Amino acid sequence: MATVHAVSDALDPANAARSTLKLENTEKRDTLIKIEKRYQKQWQDSGIFNAAAPTTSEFASGSIAPAELRKKHPKYFGTFAFPYMNGTLHAGHSFTASKVEYTAGFARMQGKRVLFPLGFHCTGMPIKACADKLTEDVRRFGYNFDGFAEEEVDGEMVLPAPTQAETKEDITKFTSKKSKATAKGVKLKYQFQIMLALGIPKEEIHKFADADYWLKYFPPLCKRDLNNFGARIDWRRSFVTTDANPYYDTFVRWQMNRLKELNKIQYGSRYTIYSPKDGQPCMDHDRTEGEGVAPQEYTALKLKVREWAPDAARVLQDKIPESANVYFVPATLRPETMYGQTCCFVGPKITYGVFKASENDYYVVTKRAAWNMAFQGIFFKNDSFPRDASELAPVVELTGAAVVGTLVNAPLSVHKEGVRILPMESVSPTKGTGVVTSVPSDSPDDYATVTDLAKKADYYGIKKEWAELDIVPIVETPSYGNLAAPFLVNKMKINSPKDTKQLAEAKDLAYKEGYYKGTMLVGDFKGEAVEVAKPKVKAQLIRAGDAFDYAEPNGHVVSRSADECVVAYLGQWFLNYGENDPAWRDQVLDYVKNDMETFSSETKNGFEKNLEWLNRWACARTYGLGSKLPWEPKFLVESLSDSTIYMSYYTVAHLLHSDTFGSQPGLLDIKPEQLTDEVWDYILCRREISDELLKASGISKADLQTMRREFEYWYPLDMRISGKDLIPNHLTFFLYIHTALFSREFWPSGVRANGHLMLNGEKMSKSTGNFLTLNDAVEKYGADATRIALADAGDGVEDANFEETVANQIILRMYTLKEWCEDVIADPSLRTSATSKNLWDSLFENEMHTLVHQAYTHYAATDYKVALKSALYDFTSARDFYREALAAASMPMHRDLVTTYISLQALIISPIAPHWADYIWQEVLHKPTTIQNALWPDVPQPDAGLTAAYTYIRTTSSAITSAEGHQIRKKSKGKATQYDPEQPKRLTIYTASAFPSWQQKYIDLVRDFHAKSSLEDKSLNAEVGRMGEGKRAMPFVQGLKKRIQTGENAEDVFERKLAFEETDVLGQMLKGLRKTVPRCKGVEVVEVVGEEEGKKTGRIVVSDGEGVGEKGKDRELLGAAESAVPGAPTFFFENV
């Protein structure tokens, strides 16, 4: 028998990361982490991230408009979704947090006041549900669970693969799906096992049976992990949600009261996803499966039995009264087509129940459908819903095969004598009621099935005529006539009901054509558009007692209490999102389309689509943690409704309380009971101050003005960053409530959505061992290497990838760069004279300026991956180029440039890697204060000529070394080479003094397009193609465009002037090329003179080394010379 101790050993949380990269030598990492800890302590001790608005002493309240104040003192206010406190943060969560981090760091460098706060979300079911499970575990197994034995586990439950949607290591979510490697094979049925698997000490687990303990345990861990990450968070403004913090509780109650007064919260009966076990609605964040699943509404028809099939009659004998009305109940989305019913399908292998609906009425449906109906006033009253399926037992059960042949009345059908129950193999027991009415005129599936049944009547055990009732036209369509289904089945050559793919396509075509373009041909609404007639037909059926409303989830939903959810029709408080308040919806939609920054078209499209379909949302529940609904305190505000405008609470939280629970007063010594709705109205700029307000609240005028100043300065929120999975709920609600409660001036400025985070190219999963918490990552790689790897992971809404090999490589890169900075700054051999600067110095300085401007642009656009490229990879590459060029010329680097490089490198990488940057800033450069207060470097705009020369040198050098490498590879494979690369050689570079005459017409063409400001116009490329020399002309034209777009003077380009002296630059390159190319004895530059083909001559303009000609000496031109043009030299190797 396995004891709890053995289980504890097997559930070691280290197993979750068993498949991740293993590090061996950690000396360099440990050195960097030691530096990081030193600077984290310095930042926290100094309170450098504690932000404040300009005080009312600086600018008296009311003396300056908020917008003007923000203009005088620019600010940045950024947030990400506060984490739910049922676990620790994982790498996916930190990916979203990092986006706020980088932007906050960059905003500080722009001279802005920066606010990056974070609270802790505790509202909802998860914590309470887990605490209740642990209460039962403690009762059953004891405080330390010593009474547990493995044999008691009768099922296997495993931790799921976390996704960015969970944004944490969520210990309240689990699934019953098996895994190949489930914590070394230990079954996880009980909550205490899940806690063990996450590293909670066994002796402490029983404390989590108290839901309040979760609120005390996990927030400090979250704060610890983000501090170790180096986050620039103002922790003074932290809080826990729910009534555990009485200050925040007043804020939520104010919010709900004002929304109700605005008629944004209403009460009414509606369909909602519901957990029978929990006895309350189950909204998105209450689910382990089915986030985003909504109720699907149907029309449930009542097909009354006229004559039972013999097998069914025998089963039902003496089970129901002979006078009873028994109905088969199909659920349809197309009630307007019911005139064309020719039969009704059941699944022959499906088990159906006969359920008593009233004293004399019985319904034939699947158990699953009946269970949904039980919460819609069908089998139970709305005030007495069942909690367990045992409360809804069928009178009798029978298979679909037994009822085949039963004759039923089909409401509205032209076949008044009745239709038959027939078999259909594709009927699903998990969708609808398991009973499907057949309209072969407009349903391709139905037509294919009845055709097949008629052909194989004997095989199916039916009478052929049952499947051959007349198919009558019901709907006229412009594309498919008045019998859309037969038309499409024949056109698409569908031969069998098993042609599922084609049938699905045909069904989609028939439905869209019929609904949007169809016209009714029969019935009371003949001549009307189907779109208009559909609700009228449904209402007519219900009034006649031939149908009723029915709904079910449009996907599988499981609550956090492991309950399979249904759809209930119940009275509830709901936020009136969507079509029922079109003015509100359109207001939000207009703001998204025209004013709010979304940073990507995918995010904007996501909002627009969601706003088009999002509907009313239940905002209260009876179970879990939260703030009580002010006007009906038996309800709690649900978790997605108390988390819409909490960002505004951040602005004043530190003034109200000094701890997360609000047990200690804040800077203003205000009590929770003083925060009336009217006080919140004033703080949040919804009313002005008055003597009555001052008297009623007991808060001084100065304190009220101080709180209002904090709100009106920091708001609007500049950037909200969240995973893309929150667009369908939280982020859309966030916009709705902001527009309802605040004036337009305070609506959010921007929302940035990111994709999920993969780990090493695969989905993060504990079961496969491919999983990292934030704490794991920082301990393993250090904060800066983790931050750089997260920046490198990606920026768009597509899924990003955290590569551990990148993080590991970054350790070496940053350590090596640190050592180089330390060594070179102390190097006495560096040049110091201002007069000794040369071309390489100028090129290096100019390239640094270029990259500083590039990095600024990328940071400003929140494109952190390319910002990292400019600020680190390209920046160090520029240094390497400079260092190598001077080494080849046997010349030391210049001290001023080296110092500038180190300073700029620290500055431009500091938003992403602040610890490394601050170390360099303070301990290498000996700056007096932290780099966290440094501004973005102000450097000159790049010089176009130097930029062109730099590109020319790198391109030419790369082409020469690549050609040499190609010859070496050919020789190693035994292939013929143009020369022997292993023997001494001479390099000849051909440079042209004039462009070929054929290029002039293309220069004239580009000049014309440039005059029209249309160089990006596709018609330019098309025109080049029409001129007939595309193969050689297109690269030439692209080169002209690039030169103009990178800053060269357009007229210089059109006059065919290079931005630099080509032969001078080549002369500077010669010594370096001799050292770069193995066994190169000499290099000479030959200028090609002459404009016409066949009349060109060559003259040596510069040379270096052995076996080269003198300057001015003529040289015979070889084939390579013909391709040389100004700015694009060619070259030739020969052995000497």
Side-chain angles (χ1 to χ4, degrees):
M1 179 180 292
T3 66
V4 70
H5 303 289
V7 171
S8 181
D9 291 340
L11 292 176
D12 184 345
N15 289 324
R18 64 186 178 275
S19 297
T20 60
L21 186 67
K22 302 298 183 291
L23 302 188
E24 296 179 0
N25 187 344
T26 63
E27 181 182 354
K28 294 179 175 62
R29 179 204 67 182
D30 296 342
T31 298
L32 293 176
I33 288 178
K34 187 176 180 181
I35 291 171
E36 290 169 355
K37 295 302 180 187
R38 187 158 71 244
Y39 282 93
Q40 287 166 6
K41 185 177 187 305
Q42 182 186 114
W43 300 337
Q44 293 302 318
D45 290 348
S46 66
I48 196 167
F49 304 133
N50 295 347
T55 66
T56 53
S57 299
E58 298 172 81
F59 299 90
S61 180
S63 67
I64 186 171
E68 186 62 26
L69 182 62
R70 293 190 292 270
K71 186 176 180 180
K72 282 181 176 292
H73 295 279
K75 60 88 182 179
Y76 167 80
F77 179 19
T79 65
F80 70 100
F82 50 14
Y84 197 76
M85 288 295 101
N86 60 347
T88 55
L89 308 184
H90 66 58
H93 198 176
S94 57
F95 177 62
T96 300
S98 71
K99 305 302 182 186
V100 189
E101 250 302 289
Y102 307 147
T103 311
F106 178 62
R108 293 179 70 92
M109 300 191 77
Q110 292 174 295
K112 298 178 181 179
R113 301 191 188 201
V114 173
L115 176 57
F116 176 15
L118 187 68
F120 309 107
H121 201 198
C122 307
T123 307
M125 287 179 53
I127 291 174
K128 178 64 174 164
C130 286
D132 289 350
K133 292 174 192 175
L134 280 173
T135 299
E136 176 59 21
D137 288 354
V138 170
R139 183 197 67 77
R140 186 170 183 178
F141 304 121
Y143 274 95
N144 290 326
F145 312 100
D146 293 328
F148 170 76
E150 189 176 11
E151 284 79 359
E152 296 187 51
V153 182
D154 55 6
E156 183 170 3
M157 291 192 174
V158 305
L159 291 175
T163 66
Q164 179 70 10
E166 295 171 49
T167 62
K168 60 198 164 291
E169 185 179 352
D170 188 341
I171 63 179
T172 63
K173 292 191 175 183
F174 56 89
T175 175
S176 58
K177 294 180 181 178
K178 292 187 177 182
S179 164
K180 293 180 181 178
T182 306
K184 293 188 177 180
V186 176
K187 298 175 180 180
L188 302 182
K189 177 179 180 180
Y190 299 105
Q191 185 66 40
F192 85 89
Q193 295 174 304
I194 298 173
M195 309 293 279
L196 280 172
L198 295 168
I200 308 297
K202 176 169 64 72
E203 296 74 19
E204 286 197 36
I205 291 177
H206 69 88
K207 298 177 184 177
F208 290 86
D210 176 4
D212 290 339
Y213 187 71
W214 297 66
L215 280 60
K216 299 172 184 175
Y217 185 86
F218 285 111
L221 297 182
C222 176
K223 182 177 179 180
R224 175 205 69 187
D225 292 349
L226 286 166
N227 278 340
N228 290 341
F229 185 62
R232 301 172 174 91
I233 293 174
D234 182 350
W235 291 111
R236 301 172 306 152
R237 300 172 187 259
S238 298
F239 57 90
V240 295
T241 63
T242 77
D243 53 9
N245 184 318
Y247 292 92
Y248 184 72
D249 188 55
T250 68
F251 172 77
V252 173
R253 288 189 281 111
W254 162 81
Q255 171 188 337
M256 303 308 284
N257 280 332
R258 292 299 180 249
L259 288 169
K260 185 171 183 289
E261 290 169 6
L262 292 168
N263 206 33
K264 304 303 182 186
I265 294 179
Q266 300 178 2
Y267 186 87
S269 294
R270 59 187 290 271
Y271 290 113
T272 190
I273 305 294
Y274 183 88
S275 167
K277 180 179 179 180
D278 299 328
Q280 65 177 6
C282 184
M283 310 312 289
D284 274 3
H285 282 191
D286 303 326
R287 306 173 188 175
T288 60
E289 293 181 49
E291 186 169 345
V293 171
Q296 173 66 66
E297 297 184 33
Y298 294 90
T299 302
L301 288 171
K302 296 165 65 176
L303 278 62
K304 185 177 180 180
V305 174
R306 297 177 60 168
E307 175 188 312
W308 285 104
D311 288 347
R314 283 191 291 272
V315 173
L316 292 166
Q317 190 173 6
D318 300 328
K319 298 293 193 308
I320 58 175
E322 290 187 10
S323 61
N325 300 314
V326 183
Y327 301 91
F328 281 79
V329 184
T332 181
L333 295 171
R334 303 197 63 184
E336 75 282 2
T337 65
M338 292 303 99
Y339 302 98
Q341 295 176 85
T342 64
C343 64
C344 179
F345 296 126
V346 294
K349 297 178 182 178
I350 296 175
T351 298
Y352 295 87
V354 179
F355 295 89
K356 187 174 182 179
S358 65
E359 190 60 34
N360 206 42
D361 289 349
Y362 295 80
Y363 294 160
V364 180
V365 292
T366 59
K367 286 184 178 180
R368 174 187 164 279
W371 186 235
N372 267 277
M373 291 177 183
F375 299 89
Q376 298 170 29
I378 305 300
F379 303 118
F380 292 84
K381 294 181 180 179
N382 284 344
D383 58 355
S384 58
F385 287 158
R387 300 296 286 266
D388 189 88
S390 62
E391 298 177 54
L392 180 67
V395 175
V396 65
E397 291 183 320
L398 67 174
T399 65
V403 301
V404 169
T406 297
L407 184 66
V408 296
N409 281 329
L412 295 184
S413 174
V414 297
H415 299 290
K416 303 301 182 184
E417 68 282 4
V419 301
R420 298 285 177 173
I421 304 293
L422 298 180
M424 187 182 200
E425 295 289 346
S426 60
V427 172
S428 172
T430 60
K431 187 174 183 180
T433 61
V435 181
V436 180
T437 191
S438 172
V439 184
S441 59
D442 292 87
S443 168
D445 288 283
D446 295 351
Y447 180 75
T449 300
V450 295
T451 301
D452 189 59
L453 289 171
K455 289 179 181 178
K456 305 174 184 176
D458 291 341
Y459 172 79
Y460 289 109
I462 65 170
K463 294 182 179 180
K464 185 177 182 181
E465 57 266 28
W466 292 351
E468 290 188 324
L469 297 187
D470 291 341
I471 299 174
V472 297
I474 305 299
V475 173
E476 181 70 45
T477 67
S479 300
Y480 312 134
N482 58 22
L483 291 172
F487 177 90
L488 285 167
V489 168
N490 292 325
K491 180 181 179 182
M492 299 174 69
K493 299 180 180 179
I494 297 171
N495 299 315
S496 164
K498 295 180 180 179
D499 295 337
T500 54
K501 184 176 180 181
Q502 298 99 306
L503 281 170
E505 183 181 352
K507 178 181 178 180
D508 187 57
L509 292 171
Y511 180 82
K512 288 180 178 178
E513 178 81 5
Y515 183 73
Y516 292 108
K517 300 179 181 179
T519 303
M520 297 297 297
L521 295 175
V522 296
D524 294 344
F525 309 106
K526 178 179 178 180
E528 292 190 16
V530 168
E531 196 171 0
V532 175
K534 178 177 178 176
K536 296 179 180 180
V537 175
K538 178 176 181 176
Q540 185 181 62
L541 284 164
I542 292 173
R543 282 196 304 271
D546 291 328
F548 57 89
D549 287 310
Y550 169 69
E552 64 183 29
N554 63 6
H556 188 59
V557 181
V558 178
S559 74
R560 290 179 183 263
S561 59
D563 185 33
E564 185 171 346
C565 294
V566 297
V567 166
Y569 187 75
L570 72 166
Q572 59 187 247
W573 292 102
F574 57 84
L575 279 154
N576 198 32
Y577 300 137
E579 62 185 5
N580 296 292
D581 192 339
W584 191 16
R585 178 198 60 198
D586 293 346
Q587 181 183 51
V588 177
L589 190 58
D590 176 73
Y591 187 65
V592 169
K593 287 182 175 180
N594 300 311
D595 295 295
M596 190 178 77
E597 175 62 66
T598 58
F599 299 91
S600 74
S601 58
E602 295 92 340
T603 298
K604 176 175 283 191
N605 292 338
F607 274 119
E608 291 177 6
K609 290 178 181 177
N610 193 52
L611 285 163
E612 289 170 1
W613 71 261
L614 180 68
N615 216 319
R616 293 168 170 171
W617 186 268
C619 60
R621 61 167 40 79
T622 57
Y623 175 80
L625 303 179
S627 294
K628 293 180 175 61
L629 205 60
W631 58 89
E632 197 166 355
K634 70 177 182 179
F635 289 109
L636 300 171
V637 181
E638 67 97 24
S639 63
L640 281 170
S641 299
D642 84 334
S643 58
T644 53
I645 57 168
Y646 67 86
M647 311 85 199
S648 61
Y649 186 81
Y650 283 135
T651 65
V652 296
H654 63 304
L655 302 176
L656 300 175
H657 49 83
S658 58
D659 68 317
T660 57
F661 287 91
S663 59
Q664 300 295 326
L667 298 177
L668 298 183
D669 198 22
I670 293 171
K671 296 178 175 60
E673 54 269 24
Q674 294 177 279
L675 294 169
T676 62
D677 287 353
E678 290 72 27
V679 168
W680 281 114
D681 281 339
Y682 174 75
I683 294 171
L684 302 174
C685 296
R686 289 172 48 86
R687 61 162 291 168
E688 295 306 318
I689 206 163
S690 67
D691 292 338
E692 292 78 12
L693 178 63
L694 294 171
K695 183 178 180 180
S697 68
I699 303 174
S700 71
K701 183 176 183 179
D703 286 351
L704 283 170
Q705 290 174 338
T706 295
M707 289 189 285
R708 180 164 177 153
R709 168 58 55 81
E710 285 283 327
F711 169 75
E712 67 183 9
Y713 175 72
W714 290 116
Y715 249 58
L717 184 64
D718 294 287
M719 186 185 295
R720 176 66 169 178
I721 299 182
S722 294
K724 62 184 178 182
D725 50 284
L726 295 183
I727 292 175
N729 43 59
H730 162 70
L731 288 175
T732 301
F733 301 169
F734 155 82
L735 295 179
Y736 261 116
I737 304 304
H738 270 86
T739 60
L741 293 180
F742 298 127
S743 62
R744 194 179 186 92
E745 177 184 1
F746 300 118
W747 293 359
S749 298
V751 174
R752 188 186 191 284
N754 54 259
H756 300 159
L757 184 70
M758 297 187 294
L759 179 60
N760 302 321
E762 297 180 358
K763 183 178 179 180
M764 280 202 291
S765 169
K766 289 183 180 178
S767 63
T768 62
N770 190 52
F771 185 81
L772 282 178
T773 65
L774 173 57
N775 187 55
D776 291 338
V778 171
E779 285 188 352
K780 190 171 185 178
Y781 300 108
D784 281 341
T786 299
R787 294 166 68 107
I788 291 172
L790 286 169
D792 189 71
D795 290 308
V797 296
E798 65 278 358
D799 290 350
N801 181 36
F802 182 94
E803 247 337 312
E804 287 192 277
T805 54
V806 170
N808 194 32
Q809 291 162 4
I810 287 298
I811 293 172
L812 177 60
R813 175 184 283 271
M814 302 311 288
Y815 181 86
T816 304
L817 186 55
K818 175 189 79 74
E819 286 204 319
W820 183 86
C821 292
E822 293 167 341
D823 292 342
V824 77
I825 204 75
D827 186 351
S829 69
L830 297 179
R831 284 181 293 126
T832 57
S833 172
T835 60
S836 67
K837 287 189 176 181
N838 55 40
L839 175 64
W840 305 110
D841 296 333
S842 299
L843 290 174
F844 181 42
E845 184 175 43
N846 187 72
E847 183 64 9
M848 287 193 290
H849 296 165
T850 298
L851 292 171
V852 168
H853 286 291
Q854 282 183 9
Y856 185 96
T857 299
H858 297 321
Y859 276 126
T862 72
D863 292 332
Y864 306 113
K865 185 178 178 73
V866 286
L868 176 67
K869 181 177 182 296
S870 296
L872 180 61
Y873 300 129
D874 290 349
F875 213 70
T876 53
S877 178
R879 178 211 60 178
D880 293 342
F881 174 81
Y882 175 60
R883 183 173 57 176
E884 291 161 8
L886 288 179
S890 300
M891 185 182 298
M893 296 180 289
H894 200 288
R895 177 171 295 280
D896 291 349
L897 289 178
V898 167
T899 304
T900 298
Y901 165 78
I902 296 172
S903 175
L904 291 177
Q905 177 65 94
L907 286 166
I908 66 176
I909 197 60
S910 64
I912 295 174
H915 310 85
W916 185 92
D918 216 355
Y919 170 81
I920 297 297
W921 192 251
Q922 294 193 54
E923 298 188 42
V924 176
L925 297 173
H926 304 294
K927 302 289 186 179
T929 59
T930 174
I931 202 170
Q932 297 281 9
N933 289 331
L935 297 178
W936 188 265
D938 183 14
V939 299
Q941 288 294 326
D943 180 275
L946 290 171
T947 299
Y950 183 82
T951 302
Y952 174 89
I953 292 170
R954 301 202 73 159
T955 302
T956 303
S957 298
S958 176
I960 291 170
T961 55
S962 295
E964 169 76 358
H966 178 64
Q967 295 300 316
I968 292 172
R969 288 191 297 274
K970 285 180 70 175
K971 183 172 182 180
S972 69
K973 296 177 181 179
K975 297 181 179 180
T977 58
Q978 295 173 352
Y979 63 96
D980 188 343
E982 296 179 359
Q983 297 299 317
K985 65 187 76 91
R986 179 176 65 210
L987 169 64
T988 301
I989 301 174
Y990 296 109
T991 177
S993 61
F995 289 91
S997 57
W998 66 265
Q999 294 179 350
Q1000 184 59 50
K1001 58 185 175 183
Y1002 295 101
I1003 290 175
D1004 294 339
L1005 176 67
V1006 174
R1007 190 198 301 268
D1008 291 343
F1009 273 83
H1010 180 259
K1012 302 172 186 175
S1013 300
S1014 57
L1015 282 183
E1016 293 300 327
D1017 196 329
K1018 292 181 179 179
S1019 60
L1020 172 60
N1021 292 344
E1023 185 62 29
V1024 173
R1026 279 194 291 271
M1027 293 169 74
E1029 296 174 298
K1031 189 172 182 180
R1032 64 176 180 174
M1034 194 65 74
F1036 174 69
V1037 168
Q1038 295 302 321
L1040 294 175
K1041 286 172 55 178
K1042 184 176 181 180
R1043 289 177 62 188
I1044 295 170
Q1045 291 165 346
T1046 54
E1048 287 192 52
N1049 182 279
E1051 283 307 311
D1052 286 345
V1053 174
F1054 296 141
E1055 292 299 324
R1056 300 205 271 192
K1057 295 179 181 178
L1058 293 182
F1060 58 92
E1061 288 295 332
E1062 185 173 11
T1063 55
D1064 291 348
V1065 171
L1066 285 170
Q1068 295 284 335
M1069 294 174 62
L1070 297 191
K1071 290 186 182 297
L1073 287 171
R1074 281 187 59 203
K1075 289 191 175 184
T1076 302
V1077 178
R1079 288 172 290 281
C1080 182
K1081 295 298 182 179
V1083 184
E1084 58 185 27
V1085 177
V1086 175
E1087 183 179 28
V1088 179
V1089 182
E1091 295 185 0
E1092 297 182 24
E1093 302 291 338
K1095 295 184 179 180
K1096 296 180 180 178
T1097 60
R1099 183 180 306 115
I1100 298 174
V1101 292
V1102 63
S1103 61
D1104 182 76
E1106 303 172 17
V1108 297
E1110 297 178 3
K1111 180 177 180 181
K1113 182 178 179 181
D1114 289 342
R1115 272 289 187 197
E1116 179 185 357
L1117 297 180
L1118 299 176
E1122 293 298 323
S1123 302
V1125 295
T1130 57
F1131 50 88
F1132 176 77
F1133 286 106
E1134 59 184 327
N1135 292 118
V1136 295

